Coordinates of all heavy atoms in Angstrom, one line a residue:
V1 N -7.4 4.0 -11.9 CA -8.0 2.9 -11.2 C -9.3 3.4 -10.5 O -9.5 4.5 -10.3 CB -7.1 2.3 -10.2 CG1 -5.9 1.7 -10.9 CG2 -6.6 3.3 -9.2
S2 N -10.2 2.4 -10.2 CA -11.4 2.7 -9.5 C -11.1 3.0 -8.0 O -10.2 2.5 -7.5 CB -12.3 1.5 -9.5 OG -12.7 1.2 -10.9
K3 N -12.0 3.9 -7.5 CA -11.9 4.1 -6.0 C -12.5 3.0 -5.3 O -13.3 2.2 -5.8 CB -12.6 5.5 -5.7 CG -11.8 6.7 -6.2 CD -12.5 7.9 -5.7 CE -11.7 9.1 -6.1 NZ -12.3 10.4 -5.7
T4 N -12.3 2.9 -4.0 CA -12.9 1.9 -3.1 C -14.3 2.2 -2.9 O -14.8 3.3 -3.3 CB -12.1 1.8 -1.8 OG1 -12.4 3.0 -1.1 CG2 -10.7 1.6 -1.9
I5 N -15.0 1.3 -2.3 CA -16.4 1.5 -1.9 C -16.6 2.7 -1.0 O -17.7 3.3 -1.0 CB -17.0 0.2 -1.3 CG1 -18.5 0.3 -1.3 CG2 -16.5 0.0 0.1 CD1 -19.2 -1.0 -0.9
F6 N -15.5 3.1 -0.3 CA -15.6 4.3 0.6 C -15.1 5.5 -0.2 O -14.7 6.5 0.5 CB -14.8 4.0 1.8 CG -15.3 2.8 2.6 CD1 -14.5 1.6 2.6 CD2 -16.5 2.8 3.2 CE1 -15.0 0.5 3.3 CE2 -17.0 1.7 3.9 CZ -16.2 0.6 4.0
L7 N -15.0 5.4 -1.5 CA -14.5 6.5 -2.4 C -13.1 7.0 -2.0 O -12.8 8.2 -2.1 CB -15.5 7.7 -2.3 CG -16.9 7.4 -2.7 CD1 -17.8 8.6 -2.6 CD2 -16.9 6.9 -4.2
Q8 N -12.3 6.1 -1.7 CA -10.9 6.4 -1.4 C -10.0 5.9 -2.6 O -10.3 4.9 -3.2 CB -10.4 5.6 -0.1 CG -11.0 6.1 1.1 CD -10.6 5.3 2.3 OE1 -10.5 4.1 2.2 NE2 -10.3 6.0 3.4
C9 N -9.0 6.7 -2.8 CA -8.0 6.3 -3.9 C -6.8 5.7 -3.2 O -5.9 6.4 -2.6 CB -7.6 7.6 -4.7 SG -6.5 7.2 -6.0
V10 N -6.8 4.4 -3.2 CA -5.7 3.7 -2.4 C -4.5 3.5 -3.3 O -4.6 2.9 -4.4 CB -6.3 2.3 -1.9 CG1 -5.2 1.6 -1.1 CG2 -7.5 2.6 -1.0
P11 N -3.3 3.9 -2.8 CA -2.1 3.6 -3.6 C -1.7 2.2 -3.6 O -2.0 1.5 -2.6 CB -1.1 4.5 -3.0 CG -1.5 4.7 -1.6 CD -3.0 4.6 -1.6
W12 N -1.1 1.7 -4.6 CA -0.6 0.3 -4.7 C 0.5 0.2 -3.6 O 1.3 1.1 -3.4 CB 0.0 0.0 -6.1 CG 0.4 -1.4 -6.2 CD1 -0.4 -2.5 -6.4 CD2 1.7 -1.9 -6.0 NE1 0.4 -3.6 -6.4 CE2 1.7 -3.3 -6.2 CE3 3.0 -1.3 -5.8 CZ2 2.8 -4.1 -6.2 CZ3 4.1 -2.1 -5.7 CH2 4.0 -3.5 -5.9
R13 N 0.6 -0.9 -3.0 CA 1.6 -1.2 -1.9 C 2.4 -2.4 -2.3 O 1.9 -3.3 -3.0 CB 0.9 -1.3 -0.6 CG 0.2 0.0 -0.2 CD 0.4 0.3 1.3 NE 0.1 1.6 1.6 CZ -1.1 2.1 2.0 NH1 -2.0 1.2 2.2 NH2 -1.3 3.3 2.3
K14 N 3.6 -2.5 -1.8 CA 4.5 -3.6 -2.1 C 4.1 -4.8 -1.4 O 3.5 -4.8 -0.3 CB 5.9 -3.2 -1.8 CG 6.5 -2.0 -2.6 CD 7.9 -1.7 -2.2 CE 8.4 -0.6 -3.1 NZ 9.7 -0.2 -2.8
L15 N 4.4 -6.0 -2.0 CA 4.0 -7.3 -1.5 C 5.1 -7.9 -0.6 O 6.2 -7.4 -0.5 CB 3.7 -8.2 -2.6 CG 2.6 -7.7 -3.6 CD1 2.4 -8.6 -4.7 CD2 1.3 -7.5 -2.8
K16 N 4.8 -9.0 0.0 CA 5.8 -9.7 0.9 C 7.1 -10.0 0.2 O 7.1 -10.5 -0.9 CB 5.1 -11.0 1.4 CG 6.0 -11.9 2.2 CD 5.4 -13.2 2.5 CE 6.4 -14.1 3.1 NZ 5.8 -15.5 3.3
G17 N 8.2 -9.6 0.8 CA 9.5 -9.8 0.3 C 10.1 -8.7 -0.6 O 11.3 -8.7 -0.9
D18 N 9.3 -7.7 -0.9 CA 9.8 -6.6 -1.7 C 10.6 -5.7 -0.9 O 10.4 -5.5 0.3 CB 8.6 -5.8 -2.3 CG 7.9 -6.5 -3.4 OD1 8.4 -7.5 -3.9 OD2 6.8 -6.0 -3.8
L19 N 11.6 -5.1 -1.5 CA 12.5 -4.1 -0.8 C 11.6 -2.9 -0.4 O 10.8 -2.5 -1.2 CB 13.7 -3.7 -1.6 CG 14.7 -4.8 -1.9 CD1 15.8 -4.3 -2.9 CD2 15.4 -5.2 -0.6
C20 N 11.9 -2.3 0.7 CA 11.1 -1.1 1.2 C 12.0 -0.2 2.0 O 13.1 -0.5 2.4 CB 9.9 -1.6 1.9 SG 10.3 -2.6 3.4
R21 N 11.5 1.0 2.2 CA 12.1 2.0 3.1 C 11.3 2.4 4.3 O 11.8 2.9 5.3 CB 12.5 3.3 2.3 CG 13.6 3.1 1.3 CD 13.9 4.4 0.6 NE 14.0 4.1 -0.8 CZ 13.7 4.9 -1.7 NH1 13.3 6.1 -1.4 NH2 13.7 4.6 -3.0
S22 N 10.0 2.3 4.1 CA 9.1 2.6 5.3 C 7.9 1.7 5.3 O 7.6 1.0 4.3 CB 8.6 4.1 5.1 OG 7.7 4.2 4.0
H23 N 7.2 1.7 6.4 CA 6.0 0.8 6.7 C 4.9 1.1 5.7 O 4.3 0.2 5.2 CB 5.5 0.9 8.1 CG 6.4 0.4 9.1 ND1 7.0 -0.8 9.1 CD2 6.9 1.1 10.2 CE1 7.8 -1.0 10.2 NE2 7.8 0.2 10.9
R24 N 4.7 2.3 5.3 CA 3.6 2.7 4.5 C 3.7 2.2 3.0 O 2.8 2.2 2.3 CB 3.2 4.2 4.6 CG 4.2 5.1 4.1 CD 3.8 6.5 4.5 NE 5.0 7.2 5.0 CZ 5.7 8.0 4.3 NH1 5.4 8.3 3.1 NH2 6.8 8.5 4.7
E25 N 4.9 1.8 2.6 CA 5.2 1.3 1.3 C 4.6 -0.1 1.1 O 4.4 -0.6 0.0 CB 6.7 1.2 1.0 CG 7.3 2.6 0.7 CD 8.8 2.4 0.4 OE1 9.2 1.4 -0.2 OE2 9.6 3.3 0.8
C26 N 4.4 -0.8 2.2 CA 4.0 -2.2 2.2 C 2.5 -2.5 2.4 O 1.9 -1.8 3.2 CB 4.8 -3.0 3.3 SG 6.6 -2.8 3.2
L27 N 2.0 -3.5 1.8 CA 0.6 -3.9 1.9 C 0.3 -4.3 3.4 O -0.7 -4.0 3.9 CB 0.3 -5.0 1.0 CG -1.2 -5.5 0.9 CD1 -2.1 -4.3 0.5 CD2 -1.3 -6.6 0.0
S28 N 1.3 -4.9 4.0 CA 1.2 -5.4 5.4 C 1.5 -4.2 6.4 O 1.3 -4.4 7.6 CB 2.2 -6.5 5.6 OG 3.5 -6.0 5.5
Q29 N 1.9 -3.1 5.9 CA 2.3 -2.0 6.7 C 3.5 -2.4 7.7 O 3.6 -1.9 8.8 CB 1.1 -1.5 7.5 CG 0.0 -0.9 6.7 CD 0.3 0.4 6.1 OE1 0.7 1.4 6.8 NE2 0.3 0.5 4.8
C30 N 4.3 -3.3 7.2 CA 5.4 -3.8 8.0 C 6.7 -3.9 7.1 O 6.8 -4.7 6.3 CB 5.0 -5.1 8.6 SG 6.3 -5.8 9.7
C31 N 7.7 -3.0 7.4 CA 8.9 -2.9 6.6 C 10.1 -3.0 7.6 O 10.4 -2.1 8.4 CB 9.0 -1.6 5.8 SG 10.5 -1.4 4.9

């Protein structure tokens, strides 16, 4: 995948309603 405009490689994060184990897994950073 392309890097962001700030040359960061951002991992894909889970969307609203997806099962999670930690905050960093979620796009909202809220698990």
